[in-house]
């Protein structure tokens, strides 16, 4: 228990160091662009594939559950849209990104720690935490919401294509459902979650990479720990945010 | 000049450095020698501030490094260059970019041409002028060490720290690195501190030698008296190998 509190304290001290002003804005923006590119391009394909299949599956399942004559036909489209926007995309895709972006961040920073590259930065008088980690956090705060919005689009598209191919409901009713009773608040809720999750993923995973002591073995351990802890925190915060916002 | 004053360092209960006191002189190559695990790397990390000694002080020309303000510390650090045990080159950057990096970060008012000129000069100094666009992964161990030296001297340091610069290299390459270090030291009047357990280095570049044994400062001297001391522990260390024993018996 004391150990956990210690780690939490260490985490906030780490954040304190990370969020000091960058010394060289030029270097910062260069790294930011690089990170955004690496994160976005690196995850786009897997995110799209997962989103399409998720949308497709949820459409079929919803249609089968409510196959009854006195439920209006647009219910399927409506339910699919709501669950995709409010829960599936922000949460499931964020969990996917923990594995994808998070482990990339831990490995990169961790291997710099193990090979003394972080020490080399410190000896030059550079705040290594801010220099290495801040661009990653900002990049994921920008890139993750974009990825989530794209995934929402692909999930709904997946659902629509499924409807066309299987005819579980008529395409007209599905579209009707997708477009009725639209609430902007759902999107705010989804994006709020995404932002918070992006922050958790990038900071927790960098933290575990940054604090490694040892070699390749510890790097693997840190990677696993980062993913487990980040996923856990994402799930807990999902509950908290839902309590607060809905 | 760097003075080390009664420095002790603990890891948990374990006392790794025990009241170490010594002096590293300006314009000379100062060696820290000792067996593996004796605390050389820990001492060097205390000198450059990567570790914080629980007791004692490290004085740079009289200034107590660990008790300086953050800004003053940063100023002092801009006068340091360090070569790590594993070279620690940034592996996402080319060799040229690696050497450029500290110049970019610390000497903001230089023009691009001046920076490039300095980088090329440093690379030429370590005989790596043809490796500009290679990545660290594409270099041999000896080339990495030389690139790390080039990066360490890029900003004209007053203090140069080398942690086992020639470990893992063949004797000839090791000699080249040693020569390079002593030449650079004299050329620019740097205060150089080198960790080593290589006897060849000890007798070729040891202008001042501090011998540590299990975290204790055991003996101080230089290459001229290191072979004729009557310190048991030092002799054990120096004459550990059959070759050195044979030479001693012959002479
Ligand atoms: N971070 C650490 N935590 C705990 N103990 C450490 C740590 N770093 C070093 N030590 C201990 O300090 C002692 C000295 O280690 P150090 O790395 O300074 O040895 P060294 O003289 O540099 O050896 P080598 O020649 O092999 O590099 C060792 O016993 C090591 O176990
Ligand atoms: Mg060492």
């Amino acid at each position: 228990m004391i150990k956990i509190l210690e780690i939490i304290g260490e985490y906030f001290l780490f954040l304190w160091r990370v969020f000091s002003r960058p010394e060289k804005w030029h270097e910062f923006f260069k790294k930011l662009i690089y990170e955004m590119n690496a994160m976005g391009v690196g995850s786009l394909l897997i995110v799209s594939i997962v989103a399409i299949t998720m949308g497709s599956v949820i459409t079929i399942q919803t249609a089968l559950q409510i196959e009854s004559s006195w439920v209006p036909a647009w219910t399927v489209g409506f339910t699919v849209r709501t669950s995709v926007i409010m829960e599936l995309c922000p949460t499931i895709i964020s969990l996917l990104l923990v594995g994808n972006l998070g482990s990339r961040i831990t490995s990169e920073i961790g291997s710099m720690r193990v090979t003394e590259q972080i020490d080399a930065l410190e000896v030059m008088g550079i705040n290594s935490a801010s220099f290495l980690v801040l661009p990653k956090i900002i990049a994921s705060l920008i890139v993750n919401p974009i990825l989530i919005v794209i995934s929402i689009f692909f999930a709904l598209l997946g659902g629509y294509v499924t409807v066309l191919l299987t005819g579980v409901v008529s395409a007209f009713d599905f579209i009707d459902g997708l477009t009725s009773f639209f609430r902007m608040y759902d999107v705010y809720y989804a994006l709020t979650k995404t932002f918070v999750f992006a922050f958790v993923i990038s900071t927790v995973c960098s933290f575990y990479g940054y604090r490694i002591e040892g070699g390749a073995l510890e790097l693997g351990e840190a990677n696993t720990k980062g993913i487990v802890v980040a996923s856990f925190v994402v799930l807990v915060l999902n509950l908290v945010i839902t309590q607060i916002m809905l | 000049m760097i003075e080390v004053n009664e420095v002790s360092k603990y890891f948990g209960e374990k006392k790794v450095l025990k009241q170490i006191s010594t002096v590293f002189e300006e314009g000379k190559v100062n060696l820290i020698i000792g067996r593996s695990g004796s605390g050389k790397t820990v001492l060097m990390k205390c000198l450059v501030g990567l570790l914080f000694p629980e007791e004692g002080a490290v004085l740079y020309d009289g200034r107590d490094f660990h008790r300086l303000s953050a800004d003053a510390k940063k100023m002092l650090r801009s006068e340091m260059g360090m070569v790590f045990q594993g070279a620690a080159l940034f592996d996402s950057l080319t060799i040229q970019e690696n050497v450029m990096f500290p110049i970019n970060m610390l000497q903001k008012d230089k023009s691009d041409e001046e920076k490039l000129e300095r980088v090329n000069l440093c690379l030429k100094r370590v005989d790596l002028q043809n490796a500009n666009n290679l990545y660290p992964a594409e270099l041999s161990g000896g080339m990495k060490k030389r690139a790390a030296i080039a990066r360490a001297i890029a900003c004209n340091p007053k203090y140069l720290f080398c942690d086992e610069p020639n470990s893992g290299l063949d004797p000839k390459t090791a000699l080249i690195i040693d020569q390079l270090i002593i030449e650079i030291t004299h050329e620019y009047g740097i205060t150089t501190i080198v960790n080593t357990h290589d006897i060849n280095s000890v007798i070729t570049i040891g202008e001042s030698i501090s011998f540590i044994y299990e975290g204790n400062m055991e003996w101080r001297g230089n290459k001229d008296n290191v072979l004729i001391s009557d310190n048991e522990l030092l002799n054990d260390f120096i004459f550990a190998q059959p070759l050195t024993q044979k030479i001693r018996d012959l002479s």
Side-chain angles (χ1 to χ4, degrees), chain B residues 41 85 163-164:
Chain B
T41 300
Q85 202 160 349
D163 196 357
E164 306 201 11

Side-chain angles (χ1 to χ4, degrees), chain B residues 147-234:
Chain B
I149 294 177
R151 184 178 68 183
I153 60 171
C155 292
N156 288 314
K158 256 179 93 175
Y159 312 98
L160 179 64
F161 300 87
C162 306
D163 196 357
E164 306 201 11
N166 52 18
S167 65
L169 303 178
D170 70 87
K172 198 122 193 203
T173 314
L175 201 65
I176 293 174
I177 301 267
D178 280 347
Q179 284 307 329
L180 189 60
I181 289 174
I182 197 163
E183 279 169 27
I184 289 171
T185 302
H186 292 166
E187 217 171 295
Y188 305 109
I190 306 174
T191 308
T192 301
I193 291 120
V194 179
N195 276 356
T196 186
H197 42 53
D198 182 35
I199 306 302
N200 287 316
S201 306
V202 172
I203 56 176
T204 49
I205 62 171
E207 296 177 304
S208 141
I209 300 174
S210 307
F211 171 62
I212 332 185
Y213 183 83
E214 290 181 355
N216 288 304
M217 189 69 200
E218 189 59 39
W219 181 86
R220 271 183 53 81
N222 57 49
K223 64 183 177 195
D224 299 321
N225 54 21
V226 71
L227 295 178
I228 50 173
S229 95
D230 45 18
N231 186 306
E232 291 267 334
L233 293 168
L234 178 66

Side-chain angles (χ1 to χ4, degrees), chain A residues 52-65:
Chain A
I52 289 174
T53 51
M54 209 161 60
S56 165
V57 168
I58 198 74
T59 304
I60 296 173
Q61 286 184 353
T62 314
L64 292 180
Q65 304 276 340

Side-chain angles (χ1 to χ4, degrees), chain A residues 23-24 27 111-112 115-126 131, chain B residues 45 50 74 77 82 84-86 88-91 101-102 104-106 151:
Chain A
E23 290 155 38
K24 289 215 64 179
E27 291 289 327
S111 70
M112 290 189 76
T115 57
E116 297 182 310
Q117 292 176 49
I118 291 185
D119 287 343
L121 285 173
E122 289 288 327
V123 171
M124 291 174 199
I126 296 165
F131 181 79
Chain B
K45 286 189 171 169
L50 286 172
K74 218 171 138 175
R77 275 192 162 155
M82 180 154 179
F84 284 83
Q85 202 160 349
L89 297 168
F90 302 122
D91 40 33
F101 185 87
N104 260 339
M105 299 304 287
L106 300 174
R151 184 178 68 183

Side-chain angles (χ1 to χ4, degrees), chain A residues 13 23-24 51 54 73 97 130 138 140 160 182 220 228 245:
Chain A
L13 282 178
E23 290 155 38
K24 289 215 64 179
M54 209 161 60
L97 290 176
S130 161
I138 306 292
S140 74
Y160 181 65
F182 184 74
V228 171
M245 290 189 68

Side-chain angles (χ1 to χ4, degrees), chain A residues 107 110-111 113-115 212-224:
Chain A
S107 319
S111 70
R113 165 64 79 196
V114 173
T115 57
I212 293 180
E213 282 176 16
L217 193 67
E218 284 78 6
L219 182 57
E221 244 169 54
N223 221 326
T224 319

